[in-house]
């Protein structure tokens, strides 16, 4: 997309993320925020918190968001996009409500939001929109006129998201010992979610077995496999697998788990595996622990060589993709034609989440969608 100023209607970009603890004393309060309303016992929170305590009680996600903020601001400045960038989290400081209050005080009236989740699902999209609605309602209760907030479309198949991951998979393959490289398997990983949540992910017409959540991940995996084949001449076998399950054992979740998959591959005589976390924007705790610690330990136990490819993080190509998405949405809102970049079979996603998209068991108001109370 050609360089240009981000003309109206937008006067700010909000980077909206999950949040994470930044010290040992933050861990349990952070987990209380994440699990609020679920009645999780304190002892269970402390048990889950051990993953964070292994790393000094610090999640890498906040520093990674700071790096992404720097990359976005640098890219915007270089390409003449005069748009301030703010940052708010759902579960830890800087809290979303505080950031929106600051933006309103700064006179920001039309905000476009980038969520650090690329795919359709309740937890990866609608829950962010629900938290946006809750924060806007709080501002209204305080007597602050809420700004209008839109959300950028899903970017799972944008070239600036896919190409850095494909490049990293190629680098991981190249890093494997030469005698096992040609027989390696590609394990594309993402966060496991309940089957019921996957089946109802995306617009209603996309509901079904795995819904949009699984379909979108499979599309990205195929894109990367095709790029790898073009670059290496090898059609590596692959599978979409899951990690980070956290729900009750009697509820069906997406499978297979990455550790179970590694055991199965070892039993089949596969000589090496590249784990590619395509479901994650950055190398945050679930990548650091579930792949780099737990899955890597399982592979070592099996004597199975593994490599873990990197997420996009603050890659300049991803920052450029965000600029493209902002300018695309701004042009669309002005009624102008816009280039909508997307790779693969699914095409560009919708701008406005329709009614019935990624429903929750107990629906709450959600901003930035067709059913938003904040038009």
């Amino acid at each position: 997309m050609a360089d240009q100023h981000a003309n109206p209607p937008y006067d700010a970009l909000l980077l909206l993320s999950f949040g994470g603890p930044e010290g040992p004393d933050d861990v349990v309060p952070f987990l209380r925020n994440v699990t609020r309303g679920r009645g999780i016992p304190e002892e269970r929170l402390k048990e889950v918190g051990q993953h964070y305590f292994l790393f000094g009680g610090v999640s890498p996600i906040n520093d990674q968001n700071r790096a992404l903020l720097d990359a976005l601001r640098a890219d915007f400045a270089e390409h003449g996009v005069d748009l301030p960038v703010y940052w708010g989290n759902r579960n830890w400081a800087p809290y979303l409500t505080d950031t929106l209050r600051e933006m309103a005080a700064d006179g920001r009236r039309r905000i476009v939001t980038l969520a650090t989740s690329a795919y359709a699902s309740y937890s990866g999209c609608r829950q962010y929109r629900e938290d946006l609605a809750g924060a806007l309602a709080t501002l209204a209760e305080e007597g602050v006129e809420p700004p209008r907030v839109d959300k950028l479309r899903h970017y799972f198949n944008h070239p600036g998201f896919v190409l850095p991951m494909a490049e990293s998979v190629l680098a991981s393959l190249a890093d494997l010992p030469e005698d096992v490289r040609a027989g390696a398997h590609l394990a594309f990983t993402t966060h496991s979610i309940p089957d019921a949540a996957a089946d109802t992910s995306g617009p209603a017409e996309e509901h079904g077995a795995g819904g949009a959540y699984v379909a979108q991940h499979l599309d990205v995996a195929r894109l990367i496999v095709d790029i790898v084949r073009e670059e290496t001449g090898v059609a590596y076998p692959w599978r979409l697998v899951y990690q980070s399950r956290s729900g009750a054992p009697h509820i069906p979740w997406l499978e297979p788990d990455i550790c179970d998959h590694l055991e199965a591959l070892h039993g089949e005589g596969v000589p090496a595996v590249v784990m590619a976390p395509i479901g994650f924007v950055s190398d945050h705790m679930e990548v650091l622990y579930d792949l780099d610690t737990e899955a890597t330990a399982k592979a070592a136990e099996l004597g199975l060589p593994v490599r873990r490819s990197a997420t996009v993080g603050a890659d300049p190509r991803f920052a450029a993709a965000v600029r493209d998405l902002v300018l695309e949405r701004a042009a669309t809102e002005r009624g102008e034609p816009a280039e909508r970049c997307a790779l693969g079979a699914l095409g560009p996603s919708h701008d406005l989440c329709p009614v019935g998209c990624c429903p929750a068991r107990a629906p709450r108001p959600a901003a930035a969608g067709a059913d938003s109370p904040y038009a």
Side-chain angles (χ1 to χ4, degrees):
M1 186 173 289
D3 298 348
Q4 57 183 296
H5 286 278
N7 294 323
Y10 297 116
D11 53 21
L13 171 68
L14 168 64
L15 175 65
L16 176 57
S17 193
F18 192 80
E22 300 202 77
D25 292 342
D26 297 344
V27 172
V28 172
F30 162 73
L31 292 172
R32 284 197 205 105
N33 289 342
V34 173
T35 62
R36 185 180 292 112
R38 301 184 203 170
I40 307 295
E42 189 85 355
E43 289 307 309
R44 175 59 180 156
L45 296 180
K46 292 178 180 177
E47 181 183 331
V48 173
Q50 292 305 313
H51 296 180
Y52 292 94
F53 292 130
L54 285 173
F55 300 92
V58 179
S59 168
I61 192 170
N62 282 343
D63 276 346
Q64 289 162 4
N65 280 326
R66 292 182 182 104
L68 180 55
L69 286 167
D70 288 344
L72 291 172
R73 289 166 178 153
D75 180 90
F76 284 9
E78 181 181 351
H79 293 90
V81 176
D82 185 16
L83 199 69
V85 184
Y86 294 75
W87 170 35
N89 289 325
R90 291 175 47 213
N91 298 297
W92 202 248
Y95 287 104
L96 171 59
T97 303
D98 294 336
T99 300
L100 285 175
R101 188 182 294 113
E102 176 190 359
M103 297 176 83
D106 289 347
R108 311 303 176 193
R109 302 304 313 148
R110 191 77 187 273
I111 297 165
V112 64
T113 303
L114 169 72
T116 55
S117 178
Y119 300 86
S121 70
Y122 172 74
S123 57
C125 183
R126 185 174 177 91
Q127 196 167 17
Y128 282 82
R129 294 174 48 228
E130 289 177 352
D131 287 352
L132 276 168
L136 293 170
T138 297
L139 264 59
E141 291 166 3
E142 295 172 352
V144 177
E145 183 181 356
R148 162 85 179 264
V149 180
D150 293 333
K151 179 179 175 292
L152 293 174
R153 64 176 171 90
H154 300 303
Y155 48 84
F156 63 92
N157 56 2
H158 193 287
F161 186 69
V162 174
L163 297 180
M165 292 191 295
E167 183 179 281
S168 184
V169 169
L170 286 164
S172 293
L173 283 166
D175 192 49
L176 283 168
E178 189 172 356
D179 60 335
V180 299
R181 187 181 305 146
H185 174 96
L186 307 181
F188 295 101
T189 78
T190 191
H191 205 301
S192 184
I193 61 175
D195 285 3
D199 293 348
T200 57
S201 58
E205 61 271 18
E206 297 179 31
H207 292 178
Y213 185 75
V214 172
Q216 290 170 359
H217 282 87
L218 287 173
D219 202 42
V220 171
R222 292 186 189 105
L223 284 166
I224 294 174
V225 168
D226 287 347
I227 293 169
V228 169
R229 184 177 62 249
E230 290 171 5
E231 291 293 322
T232 65
V234 180
Y236 286 96
W238 63 276
R239 185 167 182 180
L240 177 64
V241 300
Y242 303 92
Q243 62 174 90
S244 313
R245 173 178 174 149
S246 58
H250 68 281
I251 298 175
W253 283 51
L254 293 173
E255 295 178 337
D257 176 77
I258 177 62
C259 289
D260 295 339
H261 187 56
L262 293 176
E263 285 192 356
L265 292 175
H266 176 66
E268 296 166 7
V270 170
V273 178
V274 170
M275 302 182 294
I278 61 172
F280 305 90
V281 171
S282 66
D283 289 4
H284 56 61
M285 183 56 70
E286 287 172 316
V287 175
L288 198 64
Y289 181 81
D290 295 331
L291 293 184
D292 293 354
T293 304
E294 191 172 51
T296 300
K298 171 59 70 175
E301 173 190 320
L302 297 169
L304 179 65
V306 294
R307 297 292 185 271
R308 197 271 291 173
S309 64
T311 54
V312 297
D315 189 289
R317 289 166 292 184
F318 182 49
V322 175
R323 167 170 43 88
D324 276 355
L325 291 166
V326 168
L327 296 177
E328 167 200 303
R329 184 62 182 273
T332 299
E333 292 296 313
R334 295 193 302 268
E336 300 170 2
E339 180 184 357
R340 295 173 63 81
C341 295
L343 302 174
L346 299 181
S349 186
H350 50 264
D351 283 332
L352 197 66
C353 291
V355 176
C357 194
C358 303
R361 290 183 180 178
R364 296 164 50 202
D371 55 355
S372 172
Y374 300 98

